[in-house]
Structure formats: C-alpha cells, structure tokens
Amino acid sequence: MELYLDLHSQPCRSVFLLAKAIGIPFEFKLVELSAGQQYSEEFGKINVMRKVPVMKDGSFVLTESVAILKYMLQKHSSSLADHWYPADLQQRARVNEYLSWQHMNLRAHGSKVFLLKAVFPVIMGSEVPKEKMDTAVQDLNQSLQMLEDKFLQNKPFIVGDKISVADLVAIVEIIQPVATGLDVFEGRQKLTAWRDRVKKALGEKLFAEAHEVIMKVGSLPQQMQNNSNLEMLKPKFQKLFS
C-alpha cells in the first residue's frame, strides 16, 4: 500500500495515524503542498483533483480521507480491534454520524483559523483583518462546544469507553489551529481530558510523530516563498475570505 501524504494536512494525519496505530504496512509518499507538488504532472496522473491524501493499494487508487479510513478499517476488520470501527449497528452509526458532521463544522472552522493565521499573510501579503479572525475563532469555539456537548458528553471517547476512528479525525482537526498558537483547550477541562486519553490510547510517541511537522508551522512561510503557484492561490483566498 502507498499513501500519498503531507502531514501539514489534517486528513493526511488521520490516515497516517490509523495506518500506524493498527499496524498496516505502507510506503509513505510525500507530496509537499507548500512546494506545490500537488500540481505536478506526475501527481496529476494519480489524483486529478490534486489533493491529498491518496491511497494506492495495488492498482486500486482511492481519494478522500474518510473513504480511505473506512477502506483500511473494513479491509483489515478480521484482525482489528472492534473499537476502531464497531460492528454493532448503532455504535458504528455514531462513528459515521461524527464523520458526517465534522466536515462542515470542526474541520471547516479549524481549517479556516489555520489558513487565516498561518497561510493568509504569506499569500496575500498582509495580516488578516481582526474582525475576520474574531469571527473565525468564534465559529471554531461553537464547533468545539458541540463536540463536547453532543458527541463527547460524559464519555471517555466519542463512541464510549474506547478510542475509535472518530476520535482520530477529531483530534487532528483540533491540533491544526493549536499549531498556530491558539490554545483551544484553555478553560475546557472535558476537551483537555479527552485529548490526553486519545494521546495515551495512540501512544505519545506516535502522536508526536504525526504532529511534528504541523507544530513547526512557523517555517511554512519560508517554504511557501518558493512555491510558483502562490499567485494562482490569491484569487482563491480572495474568494474564500472576502
């Protein structure tokens, strides 16, 4: 199995973490987004959408992180601990419920804060207006509150007493704005305790390995300066954040 990844990307980290955690052998194929490698002719032949992650299992190529996660879980279900993607109908439905919700909520809002704080100044050549940043952080806080109130409630993990793929997808999204210096765990004891349980379940070493790159996001502007596609990205950012 080949996994085309850049660990700056939250979905890539969830795929990386799951493969490592459940012991799936794979070849790590780095696609440096900050260098514009996703726009290369070679990568375009693998994924016409020019996004990561991409999984190649023999001749079978699959895009979209949630689809890749479910593929890996279902392919290895016979040798896999059930808690990752429970066979029980209702527990699995809870996992799928979270995976469906997060796209337009925690993922969207965490990504927006990250892009505004870490990427916007590089591409646009100016800091983000304060009111835009304040609104983005407010939206993120609302998603974090929903994660606590609706999905975690008083449980150790999103689907009960043990970690599942839903927790992986959640934690990588939360670390994204954290990497820019925004402490989203401040004042959130429930969320902090859950984060610590996720780290312990995965192993501190693996968790650190997956997030080493993103926690050095301060070096991203320097990396992006050599990206010839920066000018192409300006209209996209203007449209996104106007």
Side-chain angles (χ1 to χ4, degrees):
M1 181 180 287
E2 296 175 352
L3 294 177
Y4 293 78
L5 308 169
D6 183 335
L7 296 184
H8 284 104
S9 154
Q10 311 94 299
C12 286
R13 292 199 300 276
S14 65
V15 169
F16 175 86
L17 278 168
L18 182 67
K20 287 276 192 176
I22 66 177
I24 299 176
F26 67 92
E27 183 179 353
F28 189 117
K29 297 282 192 178
L30 177 62
V31 181
E32 291 190 69
L33 301 178
S34 62
Q37 290 182 355
Q38 70 272 35
Y39 299 111
S40 70
E41 183 179 350
E42 180 183 2
F43 185 71
K45 293 176 182 177
I46 297 165
N47 185 8
V48 69
M49 293 185 287
R50 300 187 180 279
K51 294 181 178 181
V52 287
V54 178
M55 182 204 74
K56 188 176 181 183
D57 190 12
S59 61
F60 180 69
V61 177
L62 188 64
T63 65
E64 297 299 321
S65 60
V66 170
I68 293 170
L69 292 168
K70 289 183 177 181
Y71 177 91
M72 293 194 297
L73 289 162
Q74 291 169 330
K75 179 177 180 178
H76 297 275
S77 60
S78 62
S79 59
L80 191 63
D82 182 71
H83 61 82
W84 286 108
Y85 196 46
D88 177 83
L89 177 64
Q90 293 186 357
Q91 284 193 313
R92 180 168 289 195
R94 288 296 182 206
V95 173
N96 290 332
E97 179 184 35
Y98 178 79
L99 296 178
S100 297
W101 172 83
Q102 59 92 28
H103 282 290
M104 297 302 294
N105 293 279
L106 188 55
R107 169 155 176 69
H109 298 146
S111 295
K112 187 172 184 178
V113 169
F114 175 81
L115 291 171
L116 288 176
K117 287 177 72 72
V119 183
F120 184 97
V122 182
I123 293 177
M124 302 306 295
S126 62
E127 293 298 318
V128 179
K130 183 178 182 300
E131 63 274 13
K132 288 189 181 297
M133 182 57 70
D134 288 346
T135 299
V137 171
Q138 183 180 11
D139 289 342
L140 174 59
N141 282 330
Q142 289 176 353
S143 283
L144 291 170
Q145 193 64 48
M146 187 61 69
L147 172 60
E148 289 186 305
D149 295 345
K150 156 70 176 168
F151 293 99
L152 279 174
Q153 299 179 17
N154 294 313
K155 305 187 300 290
F157 296 98
I158 291 175
V159 190
D161 294 333
K162 292 185 178 180
I163 193 171
S164 74
V165 67
D167 297 284
L168 291 191
V169 172
I171 194 65
V172 296
E173 296 296 345
I174 293 173
I175 296 298
Q176 201 75 0
V178 169
T180 69
L182 180 65
D183 186 1
V184 302
F185 296 103
E186 184 179 2
R188 292 185 179 275
Q189 294 182 356
K190 182 187 294 187
L191 198 67
T192 301
W194 165 79
R195 175 202 62 191
D196 294 344
R197 287 190 291 269
V198 171
K199 281 187 177 183
K200 184 177 180 181
L202 287 170
E204 294 275 354
K205 185 177 179 181
L206 175 56
F207 189 88
E209 180 186 1
H211 291 94
E212 181 180 6
V213 170
I214 195 61
M215 294 308 292
K216 296 178 181 176
V217 73
S219 64
L220 193 61
Q222 185 176 358
Q223 297 172 35
M224 293 187 69
Q225 291 300 339
N226 300 319
N227 186 342
S228 60
N229 296 290
L230 280 183
E231 284 300 318
M232 183 181 72
L233 293 174
K234 278 188 177 181
K236 293 183 178 181
F237 264 65
Q238 287 171 334
K239 184 178 180 180
L240 277 172
F241 302 122
S242 60

